[in-house]
Each structure stands twice: as C-alpha cells, then as structure tokens.
Amino acid sequence: MEIRPILSSLRRHRIPAVLIVLEIALACAVLGNAVFMIGQRMANIHWSNGIDEAGVSVVTVNGTDPGLAASDIPRDLVALRGIAGVTAAAPVTSMPLDQNPALTGFTTTPDGKTTVNTSVYFLGSGGERALGLHLLQGRFFNADEYADSGLKDFQSTGHVVLVTGSDAQRLWPGQDALGKTLYANGESWTVVGVVGDVLAQDPNFSGPGGRYSSVFYPSRPDGMMGDYVLRSAPQDRDRVVREAVQALGRLELGAVVEGKTYAQMRTDYFADTSSMVWMLVLVCVVMLAVTAFGIVGLTSFWVGQRRRQIGIRRAVGATRGHIMQYFQTENFLLSGAGVVLGMALAFGINLYLMRHYEITRMPWYYLPVSALALWLLGQLAVLGPALRAAAVPPVVATRSV
Amino acid sequence: MFGYYLDLALRSLKRNKVLTALMVLALALGIGATITTLTVLKLLSGDPMPQKSAQLFYPQLDPYPVSQPFSRSGKRMPFLLNYVDAMNLIHAHKAERQAAIAMSQVKLTPPSGAGKPFYAQGVLATADFFPMFDAPFRYGSGWSAADDDSRAQVAVIAGDLNARLFGGANSVGRMIRIEDHDFRIVGVLRNWAPQPRFYAVHLGGHSYGKGEAVFVPLQGARADGMMPSTMMGYGKSIDVEHLESAPAIWLGLWVQLPDAADVAAYKLFLGNYAQEQVALGRFQKSHIALSGLMAWMRSEHVVPEDVRLQAGLAFGFLLICVVNTVGLLLAKCLRRSREIGVRRALGASRGAIFAQFMVEAGIVGVVGGVLGLVFAELGLWGIRHQPAQYADLAHLDLAMFLFTFVVALAASLVAGLLPAWRACVVAPAPQLKDA
C-alpha cells in the first residue's frame, strides 16, 4: 500500500485529522490509567488470606457483662458446637478485615523500634483450627498455654506467640523464627509456630508494611473476646450463622448478637473498592464507544466528500479491496499518531497522580496494551465507512462534472 | 434573526439525524458523568457548617516523647489530645466556647418490651458542644458545665432515636438506658448531621452519613465505663482502667474564636501552654498547631481520594466528548460548503454565518444538557444504591441542576467555535462555480 497519497490527502484535511488523533490520544491516556487503577483495585479485592475463608463464619456478641465472660463463653461454645454442621468453634478478640484494628509495634530486641503496625489477635482454645490457620513451622498452642494466658490492657500475660510467615522473614531474615523472642512495650513472648500469612484487621489502615503482619496469642475466656469463629462446610455456613445467632440470642438476653459469613465480611470490607472498579469499567466502556462514534462520524464524512475521487480511482482500475485498504491504512496512520501521543499523555497523567494521590508508578506494559486496544478500536470503527466507500460504483466519476 | 438561525439549525440537524443523535448522545454522556461525580465531590467536600466554620478551630499539642515521636517525618502533630491537656485548655476558658469530644459505640436498651438492645453511635462531649456547633433542639436543651463537673447522668438524644423509642413525643425527663446505665433525657435534637462529620475526624466512625444517636457528658459517661472508639498510647501500654491519667491521646478539642484577634491570642496562649509544659517536664516538644475547620478537613484528607479521582476521570471523559463533538460538527459544516456559498453570495455576512453555526452548536448543547441531566440522575441513582457511607446523600440540588446547563452550553459552544469559524471563512465563489 502506498502511503504518500494518503499523507498528502491528510495534509489537505488537517483539522479533521488532528481531531481524530487528539481524540484517540485522550482516550488512550485515560484508558491506560483507568485500566491500571482497575487492575490495582482488583488485586486488593483478591488479597490472599491464610484462613479458611470459605468455611468460616463469625458471630459477634456485644454488650455483655465482661465480668461474666469466664462462665458465659464456655456455655455459649457448648451451644455453638451443638449446631449441626459446626466442625469447630472458638472465641477470638477480632477478625481479619473486621475494620476494628488493635495494633502494636513488635521488635526483636527489648528496646528496638518499628514502623510496622502489627494486628494482634487473642484466640480461645482451638482458635487456630476454627480459623483454619495454615501451620508452616513449629506447633499450635497446647492446653496449658491456653489455661495460663490471658490479656491485660490488650497485652498477653502468657509467654508464647504465633507469627505469620511474612513477619518471620521480616523480623529474622534468613533465620529460623522458632524459639526466637518477640518484644513489645517491655514484655516478651517466645515464637512457637509460624502460620501462613493472615490479612490485617484493616489492611488499608495498616498500610503495605502491616498487611500481612499479625500475631496470635492464646487466652482463656475473656470479656474482650467479642467474636465467635465457627467453621463448617461452605454449603452449611448460611444456615450455621442463622442458627448460631438464634442460639446466642436465647442465651445472651441483654446482648446484641450479629452474625455473618466470612465471605460477606470480605465483600463488606471491599464494598467501596468494588464500586470504584465498576465505575471505572463503565467510564472506560462508554469512553471507547464515544471515541468509536467520533471515528465513524468523521470517516463517513470523508467518504461522502470523496465519492467522486473514489469513483475515478475505481474507474481507472482500483479494486474494492484497494479502496477499503486506503481508508484502513489512513485510520491506521491516524491511530498510530494518536496512540504515540496518548502513551506520552498517559505517562504524564500517571506522574501527576503519583504526586497528588496514593498511586504507584504504572508498569510500562499498560501503555502498549491500551495503545493496541485503541488501534483495534479504530480499525473496527473505520470498517463500516470503508465498506461504504468500497461500494461506490465507478460510474460516479462520469456524473455531474 | 435569531429565529431564522434557529430554524436553519433545526433543519440542518434534522437532515442528518444519525450524526445529530451521535453528537447529542456523546455530549450528554460526558455531561452526565461530570455532573454525577461533581455532585458527589461537592457533597463530600462541602462546608459542614457554613454559618460558623470560620470561627471554629482545632488545637493540637504534642505530648509524645522525643524517643517515640508521633510521626517519623516530624511533619504531623498528634491529631488528638490526652485528657489532662484537654481539661487544662477547657478550664483556661481562653476561647469563647470550647468542647472536648470522644466517640463511642454504645448499647441502647429500649424500655422493657419495646424491642431488643442495639448499638448506636454515641458522642461523649463537654457542655459547650451544643451551643458551639449550633445543634438545633426540638425539646429541652443541652447540659451545663455544672453537669459536666458533677458527672451527671443526663443525655441528649437525636430526633430519629426519639421517634424510634418514644414515638416522637417530648421525652425530656424520661430515662434512657445506655450501656446498662440509666440516663435522664434533658434534650431532643432536630435532625442534625453536618457533612462531613468534622467533629469526629480521627475519633472513630464514619466521616459521612446520618448523625449520632446519643450525646452524654464526657466525665459522667467515663464514670460509667464507656470507652472511646480510638485511643493511641505513647507509654508502655494503655491502662484502660485509668485512661484519664494514662499516656494516651483520645480526645478531640474544638474552640470557637470569633475574630482574627482572638485567633492570634489563642495561638499565643497555646504556645505559652506548651512551653510551660516543657518547663514542667510533661512535654518534650513545644510545637503547636491551630487549624480552622476547613483547613483541618483538607489536611486530614476527609474527602475520599477515590471521589476526587472519579471527578478527574469524568472531566477527562467530558474533554473527549467535546473533541468528539468538534469533529462531528466540523464534518457537518464542511459538507455544507455549498449552502454556505449560496448564503454568502446572497449577502449573508461572515458574522451571520458564524452566528448561525453557533446557534446550531448551542442547540446540540441544550439538548445534550437535558439528556445529560437524565444521565446524571441515573448515575446518582446508581450511587445511592452503592454501599458507600455517603450514598443516601447523593441528590442533585438546584445549583447543580442549573450548572449542568451552563456546562452543557459552554462545552457545545466551545466545540462549535472551530466549525463555525471554518464555515465563515468559506469563499463563496468556488462553491457556486462547482454547483
């Protein structure tokens, strides 16, 4: 395909050509950044979590008399374990993603300093199995450790702790974490086990450093334990939650009992994020449609204006394919200029967003991908007008001269 | 003349229906997206207290030790106060009004037989809270500073809680059970929910949404064991039994300073107070801060970042739509070179041609604006069905309604400039010869 005649024709129609290039450039820049933001948010929504999310449900009991916890909690647990389908039940102080963070900074020396916000969990007897923690190294807590530990001012009075794999690597790089001592606020605990990474109680608040930083302590029943973790088969969980709320409602008359599956808890935590994702997707789709409309409109106009010229070309021997190719190549060149400009613009927007918002650098491959998408869009949009151009009969050339 | 242009424009728009529909639709989508996001942005970044925000200030002190700074960069001050400093500042009475505030999730037990207990947002505050924030009372009033000191078990409840528990009747003098303690109701508010909830920033709970349910005196509520939602320690650990003397920040303090001289005087007082505390050995740093309400909202990023990103995205989208409209209008007008040639030959001036094409662009804008309004209402309807905390508030107000047309008309006229200019410089002779 000869490009020169196309270029010389475009030079005569500078303004419409510039408009198409500009429109494609803007669309390319917005698309690249929007897709990048969608990708980042989707990654957040799918953060992995080292508990049995499909099988865990949580029943929260608030407003009980903390002084009665030592007798109330064992009584409640008997009732919960009696529900058909419940394979494990345990009281805990909080849950990953429950948006009610209890954070402490932990160090490997008595007077060390840290900037990492670590989520602190206290588990009642059997809590590791109820949550479905994955043991990577060492062991879970034994019965003595549960009986001998409690909490005061949200610090463990026991001597043992479980840490996550990420924390084990961060705190003791290249070493075995088992048997090491963890310090906070003048107290210390021995690491007895390492578990798979559990998400923080509020990862958006804790930041990237604290996302997978969690510690687990054993504890005897305590008034601070407001959540019961129930584990069941995934298909039973909705019924288990319903029955558990009813059972505890009968036992804890003055309390407020609420239950939800862990799947619901994750959905709730990421509700804002997923509505932003939908909004971005919607804007991208509509924007691409508008851009395509613009290309169809301008190219149609061009075809209409050049009917005579097309007729003459057909009369002197050009095939329909040649005419099609002409418009396709023309669009290819315009889109090409558009996406080059658009990629530069996308990079600039990303730099601006990085300075003013909490947004990271866009990986380079987003640029060619969005460029390719717009190139394809341009070719699709030009198809209709190009077909109409190819259908112009050669006889047009002889008319109305 | 305008009527004639209008007629010409309508004829021209009717002649090519698909192209016209494309222009209007694209413009309407851009307008709809922009107005939707701007409505939300305006709603979220608005002034929660337009009549008073210029007089409300938020003082900050720094009781953190040098070895354990509040922020590593040193740029941020602790955003709450400890109890001792909050009380010292209140009792100094250096501002016209001053109130310390903490938030707490509290259990409310309805009178026997009226339903199950439930949790609601409670405010622990000192007496000046109501007059300082112009909280409107339906029945009764707030409590007095004497009630604060005597740890009185009194409460102010919100209008919707009054409707729920007492059927909307005057409940002043009746009792309400909060966290298993009985409080005497002294006041019932009308609907009162400043957006954003500026007084609750960093104290826990949402920044937007419905107002609080109950308000109780800080000291009285603490005597009953109510715990603040947020506390941050700067000692070994927080002794929750003795929060009042613990090295922990958990209170927000607001002061009312009517004019610039008062602000300067209060700043001086605050600086002297911090230096005094350094001399006493209580503080290690003497820096202070005193922010106005709106400045405080900005510095604490109360408006969700996503909302500002969405507004930016919508503007980018509108720009694409405008470029698109320029292209389509231009295509239309170039196709009509012959018509322009005839009109020019018959005596129409360049200005007349320009005006004619601008009228045509304006019609596209007005129609696009009407359709854009429909899209905006649709978008806001979508937002109201999102789980976001500000979802209920997303409504188009009159100002935004009018603004929609201004944006639509401005966008279409800007888009029409280039095509109209191209049209009016068409030379008549070649066009006529060609025909």
Side-chain angles (χ1 to χ4, degrees), chain A residues 41 63 185 254 275-276 294, chain B residues 107 119 236 306 310 324 386:
Chain A
R41 284 177 167 74
N185 302 325
S275 58
M276 178 74 174
Chain B
K107 184 172 81 166
Y119 270 81
K236 280 208 175 300
D306 274 359
Q310 283 171 358
N324 182 58
Q386 292 291 324

Side-chain angles (χ1 to χ4, degrees), chain A residues 13 15-16 19-20 22-23 26-28 30 34 37 41 62-65 99-100 113-115 152-155 184-186 205 249-250 253-256 258 271-276 278-280 283 286-288 290-291 293-298 300-302 304-305 308 353 356-359 400, chain B residues 19 22 25-26 29-30 33 37 66-69 72 107-109 116-119 179-180 206 229 232 235-241 301 305-314 316-317 319-321 323-328 330-335 337 383 386-390 418 421-422 434:
Chain A
H13 298 95
I15 293 176
L19 286 175
I20 289 193
L22 206 60
E23 206 173 328
L26 284 170
C28 178
V30 174
M37 283 191 249
R41 284 177 167 74
N62 279 317
T64 53
D65 183 349
Q99 303 189 52
N100 187 16
K113 285 192 165 68
T114 180
T115 52
K152 186 180 180 298
D153 297 337
F154 230 78
Q155 290 243 81
N185 302 325
F205 181 86
R250 280 194 295 273
L253 285 176
V256 181
E258 289 158 320
D272 282 357
T273 312
S274 52
S275 58
M276 178 74 174
W278 280 113
M279 153 99 188
L280 288 169
V283 167
V286 176
M287 182 185 73
L288 291 180
V290 167
T291 310
F293 289 158
I295 295 173
V296 171
L298 276 180
S300 300
F301 157 70
W302 254 324
Q305 212 186 25
R308 285 254 313 278
L353 291 178
H356 295 278
Y357 299 88
E358 279 170 31
I359 279 179
S400 73
Chain B
L19 210 58
L22 280 183
L25 192 67
L29 283 169
T37 51
V66 172
S67 62
Q68 192 188 342
R72 226 145 263 274
K107 184 172 81 166
L108 298 178
T109 313
K116 282 178 165 275
F118 59 94
Y119 270 81
E179 288 279 299
D180 298 319
H206 294 309
S229 299
M232 307 182 80
K236 280 208 175 300
S237 67
I238 305 177
D239 181 356
V240 289
E241 304 286 316
H301 301 286
E305 214 168 62
D306 274 359
V307 173
R308 285 192 292 148
L309 275 178
Q310 283 171 358
L313 189 71
F317 180 50
L319 191 63
I320 291 175
C321 292
V323 171
N324 182 58
T325 312
V326 175
L328 295 179
L330 189 67
K332 278 192 62 126
C333 105
L334 290 183
R335 213 186 252 186
S337 304
I383 285 173
Q386 292 291 324
Q389 39 174 301
Y390 48 81
L418 181 71
W421 175 72
R422 293 297 297 175
D434 218 20

Side-chain angles (χ1 to χ4, degrees), chain A residues 105-114 171-172 181-185:
Chain A
F106 288 92
T107 54
T108 53
T109 54
D111 45 9
K113 285 192 165 68
T114 180
L171 293 165
W172 301 282
T181 309
L182 198 59
Y183 296 87
N185 302 325

Side-chain angles (χ1 to χ4, degrees), chain A residues 298-342:
Chain A
L298 276 180
T299 322
S300 300
F301 157 70
W302 254 324
V303 170
Q305 212 186 25
R306 290 186 221 163
R307 276 176 71 83
R308 285 254 313 278
Q309 192 190 336
I310 296 166
I312 292 170
R313 280 200 64 201
R314 293 275 283 124
V316 298
T319 62
R320 282 167 190 235
H322 284 140
I323 304 292
M324 284 270 300
Q325 262 178 29
Y326 175 89
F327 283 100
Q328 280 170 333
T329 312
E330 184 186 72
N331 181 269
F332 185 82
L333 292 176
L334 290 176
S335 304
V339 295
V340 168
L341 193 64

Side-chain angles (χ1 to χ4, degrees), chain B residues 142-157:
Chain B
W143 58 82
S144 66
D147 289 331
D148 275 337
D149 295 336
S150 67
R151 310 193 163 198
Q153 305 279 74
V154 294
V156 168
I157 67 172

Side-chain angles (χ1 to χ4, degrees), chain A residues 133-316:
Chain A
L133 296 179
H134 307 299
L135 190 64
L136 302 178
Q137 258 188 301
R139 60 173 175 85
F140 285 150
F141 303 123
N142 58 39
D144 298 348
E145 286 162 351
Y146 274 112
D148 293 345
S149 313
L151 56 152
K152 186 180 180 298
D153 297 337
F154 230 78
Q155 290 243 81
S156 172
T157 59
H159 306 287
V160 289
V161 66
L162 292 177
V163 299
T164 60
S166 283
D167 270 357
Q169 264 175 23
R170 173 176 64 87
L171 293 165
W172 301 282
Q175 298 175 53
D176 188 357
L178 291 183
K180 294 285 193 303
T181 309
L182 198 59
Y183 296 87
N185 302 325
E187 303 283 333
S188 66
W189 303 271
T190 306
V191 176
V192 295
V194 178
V195 296
D197 282 348
V198 174
L199 265 180
Q201 290 148 358
D202 189 352
N204 289 338
F205 181 86
S206 305
R211 188 181 308 153
Y212 287 118
S213 181
S214 296
V215 296
F216 299 87
Y217 292 110
S219 170
R220 64 179 89 89
D222 188 283
M224 295 296 280
M225 293 171 155
D227 293 331
Y228 289 107
V229 185
L230 303 175
R231 196 156 171 210
S232 64
Q235 66 270 22
D236 290 339
R237 61 190 186 196
D238 292 314
R239 179 182 53 81
V240 162
V241 168
R242 219 168 35 241
E243 291 184 15
V245 170
Q246 282 167 1
L248 291 186
R250 280 194 295 273
L251 290 172
E252 303 271 14
L253 285 176
V256 181
V257 181
E258 289 158 320
K260 53 177 148 179
T261 62
Y262 197 80
Q264 186 60 46
M265 214 153 153
R266 180 181 268 265
T267 309
D268 289 352
Y269 186 83
F270 290 109
D272 282 357
T273 312
S274 52
S275 58
M276 178 74 174
V277 166
W278 280 113
M279 153 99 188
L280 288 169
V281 169
L282 193 70
V283 167
C284 285
V285 169
V286 176
M287 182 185 73
L288 291 180
V290 167
T291 310
F293 289 158
I295 295 173
V296 171
L298 276 180
T299 322
S300 300
F301 157 70
W302 254 324
V303 170
Q305 212 186 25
R306 290 186 221 163
R307 276 176 71 83
R308 285 254 313 278
Q309 192 190 336
I310 296 166
I312 292 170
R313 280 200 64 201
R314 293 275 283 124
V316 298

